[in-house]
Structures are given as C-alpha cells and as structure tokens.
Amino acid sequence: MDFIIFLHQKIKIFVDCSGLLFKFIIGFGVCLIILYFMYIGYFPTDLSLGDGLLFFLITIKFCFLYLLFLGAHYALGNTLVGMLKVLKKYMYHLVLF
C-alpha cells in the first residue's frame, strides 16, 4: 500500500511539471516563430486560424506515427527478450545433459 501512495505522489508531481513544461515549450515556440519572421522581414498576414489548426493536426499525426514506431520497437524488444530467455533455458538444459 505504501508503494501505491508513493507511486501516486510521483505521478502527480510528473503531471504537474509536464503541464508547466508544455506551456513553456508552446510559448518558447511562438517566440521563436515571431523572431524568425522579424529576422526575415516578413510577417504573413494571410494566415488564419484554420491554417494554424492544420499545422497542429499535422503535428498530431506525426506524434501518432512516432508512438506507433515506439510501440513497435517496444513489442519487438519484449519478443526478443522472451525468445532469448527461452533459448537460454534450453541451452542451459542442453549443456547440463
């Protein structure tokens, strides 16, 4: 029971910090975009809210694609570790007899 309370506290701290970090990263990204537009001397006036939403959706799609690859690598790693454990057990019995 103590471990569950400990784990709950750590997850709560992580969620609180990640929300703050997410807001900071968004603000930093907006500042970088504005600085870049000032550097090149052009600020696009014909961008609308729909264009920003389109960029956001494209970002979300790449995030899902990244999570798909990450999950595939995790599954492959677990499969290989399981196969190596079985192979190690089989080789151990083979060497003993």
Side-chain angles (χ1 to χ4, degrees):
M1 189 66 178
D2 292 333
F3 178 71
I4 294 175
I5 293 171
F6 171 75
L7 190 61
H8 183 267
Q9 291 172 346
K10 294 298 178 185
I11 291 173
K12 183 176 168 95
I13 291 171
F14 177 73
V15 168
D16 292 340
C17 291
S18 64
L20 179 65
L21 184 64
F22 181 73
K23 291 175 188 174
F24 175 74
I25 289 172
I26 296 257
F28 187 68
V30 168
C31 290
L32 285 179
I33 288 174
I34 290 173
L35 286 173
Y36 175 71
F37 285 151
M38 288 175 22
Y39 176 74
I40 64 172
Y42 173 73
F43 193 79
T45 57
D46 55 347
L47 286 179
S48 67
L49 184 61
D51 296 330
L53 184 61
L54 177 68
F55 292 140
F56 181 72
L57 289 176
I58 290 171
T59 303
I60 294 297
K61 287 180 184 180
F62 278 111
C63 179
F64 284 139
L65 185 65
Y66 174 71
L67 288 176
L68 177 74
F69 281 120
L70 192 65
H73 287 140
Y74 179 74
L76 179 65
N78 278 344
T79 303
L80 289 176
V81 166
M83 291 171 69
L84 288 175
K85 283 182 183 179
V86 169
L87 186 63
K88 180 180 174 183
K89 186 183 291 187
Y90 177 72
M91 294 301 284
Y92 180 72
H93 288 296
L94 190 66
V95 170
L96 285 179
F97 296 113

